[in-house]
Amino acid sequence: MKSPRGSVWISLLILVFLLLGTVLVILYGKGYRFNILQGKPKLSKTGLLALTSLPDGASVYVNGELKTATNNTLDLVPGQYSITITKDGYFPWKKNVNIQKELVTQADALLYPIAPKLESITVSGVESPVLDPTHTKIAYRVASQSALHNGIYIYDMSTRSVLSLQTATKQIANDATIPFSNADISWSPDGQQIIATVSGELAPSTYLLEANQLNTTPQNVTTILPSIQAQFETDIKQKEQAQLAGLKPALKNMIAADFKIVAWSPDETKILYVASHSASLPLIIKPRLLAIDTLYEKRNI
């Protein structure tokens, strides 16, 4: 039979272990880890390094030492680290990162193949390729086949991550009744339609084609082409105004004073510009976003 004193000691030990476990879980959740610093174990607060790559499953080296594979996170003591991400058949990706305590630093590696595989869009030939405004589709003509196979085709680059293209093409017009294989083609501002102008014996005819389907009865818009072009110009101006409206006032003032926008990135988070004169870029986001980009930044144009 156990003595009451023994039962009390057992209860106290259980309580101590529960409290100790709870404290350790809380500390772990806050980023504390045991690390060997200067030859001695020490409980220190860490930061997280989130690692991803395309393609995934790449090896991650921290200061030259293999640590893990991508699509994983590492707990690191705050400080500067050299990160290298490698995968067989791809060029290595390298970056110096600054790990800060209690913050997550992202490392996203886009790996490029050493010997990329290139294939033709089609075996029947490509004429006059035209890139759409979203930079995701290419319109082109085919004129070397039969009437039903000649015409205008669309290749959708967003459906394939590498240049293996033949299954990503779609015919939107053929030469059954109209010789679209000889047409001059251009895109609508939203990338949803094609303007095709076909030369005729008396005068050219212009057709409006839907870019996502085969146009069996193409719409002749020759007589209303000026109004369509005017609407396209209005759409472009409205889109530009909407893009500028989403910017911070300081950035809009700088654009008006110091440079001209040439193009926006597809996700509209970056701009390609031409500077009108030398200037210093002000800090737009105040305070700076933590752990987003640890590269040195020189803010001049």
Side-chain angles (χ1 to χ4, degrees):
M1 181 176 180
K2 294 182 179 179
S3 65
R5 180 176 295 181
S7 298
V8 171
W9 278 109
I10 293 174
S11 299
L12 288 175
L13 287 173
I14 293 174
L15 180 60
V16 169
F17 278 118
L18 287 175
L19 290 175
L20 182 60
T22 301
V23 170
L24 290 175
V25 169
I26 293 173
L27 290 175
Y28 188 89
K30 288 186 175 182
Y32 283 92
R33 300 292 187 272
F34 279 104
N35 296 283
I36 304 298
L37 299 177
Q38 297 178 348
K40 297 180 180 179
K42 182 179 179 181
L43 183 65
S44 58
K45 210 162 199 178
T46 64
L48 281 178
L49 176 62
L51 301 146
T52 62
S53 69
L54 183 66
D56 60 7
S59 300
V60 177
Y61 292 83
V62 179
N63 292 341
E65 183 180 351
L66 179 61
K67 290 293 187 180
T68 183
T70 49
N71 290 355
N72 201 356
T73 57
L74 288 176
D75 291 294
L76 297 173
V77 176
Q80 293 281 344
Y81 293 88
S82 173
I83 307 300
T84 303
I85 297 177
T86 65
K87 189 177 180 68
D88 289 342
Y90 295 83
F91 289 103
W93 180 95
K94 296 181 179 181
K95 185 177 182 180
N96 293 325
V97 300
N98 181 31
I99 301 298
Q100 303 177 54
K101 63 181 180 180
E102 299 183 351
L103 296 177
V104 178
T105 300
Q106 190 77 25
D108 300 315
L110 176 60
L111 303 178
Y112 292 94
I114 295 174
K117 181 181 179 182
L118 301 178
E119 295 181 6
S120 61
I121 292 177
T122 172
V123 296
S124 56
V126 173
E127 295 184 6
S128 302
V130 182
L131 186 65
D132 88 316
T134 66
H135 297 173
T136 60
K137 291 177 286 189
I138 299 174
Y140 63 91
R141 305 187 320 237
V142 172
S144 60
Q145 305 296 305
S146 63
L148 291 179
H149 289 91
N150 283 345
I152 300 174
Y153 287 75
I154 303 293
Y155 164 59
D156 189 349
M157 294 183 288
S158 64
T159 62
R160 301 297 292 269
S161 59
V162 295
L163 295 181
S164 178
L165 311 178
Q166 294 184 16
T167 59
T169 58
K170 177 186 296 185
Q171 186 182 33
I172 66 166
N174 58 42
D175 284 4
T177 56
I178 302 166
F180 283 113
S181 58
N182 297 319
D184 292 326
I185 54 181
S186 62
W187 286 91
S188 63
D190 59 2
Q192 299 299 312
Q193 296 171 314
I194 291 286
I195 295 290
T197 301
V198 180
S199 299
E201 294 182 0
L202 300 177
S205 299
T206 301
Y207 298 85
L208 186 64
L209 307 174
E210 297 298 325
N212 58 355
Q213 65 185 37
L214 178 63
N215 295 260
T216 54
T217 55
Q219 180 184 1
N220 190 323
V221 295
T222 306
T223 57
I224 60 172
L225 182 59
S227 63
I228 292 177
Q229 292 173 332
Q231 183 60 51
F232 284 174
E233 290 295 327
T234 301
D235 293 343
I236 292 173
K237 291 180 180 178
Q238 289 178 345
K239 182 178 180 180
E240 291 175 348
Q241 292 173 354
Q243 290 170 324
L244 290 174
L247 301 178
K248 293 182 177 293
L251 183 56
K252 285 192 287 187
N253 294 336
M254 183 177 63
I255 290 172
D258 300 326
F259 61 81
K260 176 184 177 182
I261 295 178
V262 177
W264 292 74
S265 64
D267 59 2
E268 298 187 0
T269 61
K270 300 178 182 66
I271 56 176
L272 178 67
Y273 66 87
V274 174
S276 57
H277 58 270
S278 297
S280 295
L281 298 175
L283 184 62
I284 302 300
I285 301 177
K286 301 179 181 179
R288 294 176 182 269
L289 298 177
L290 298 175
I292 296 299
D293 192 347
T294 59
L295 297 178
Y296 173 73
E297 181 180 36
K298 186 175 182 181
R299 304 183 62 79
N300 293 323
I301 61 174

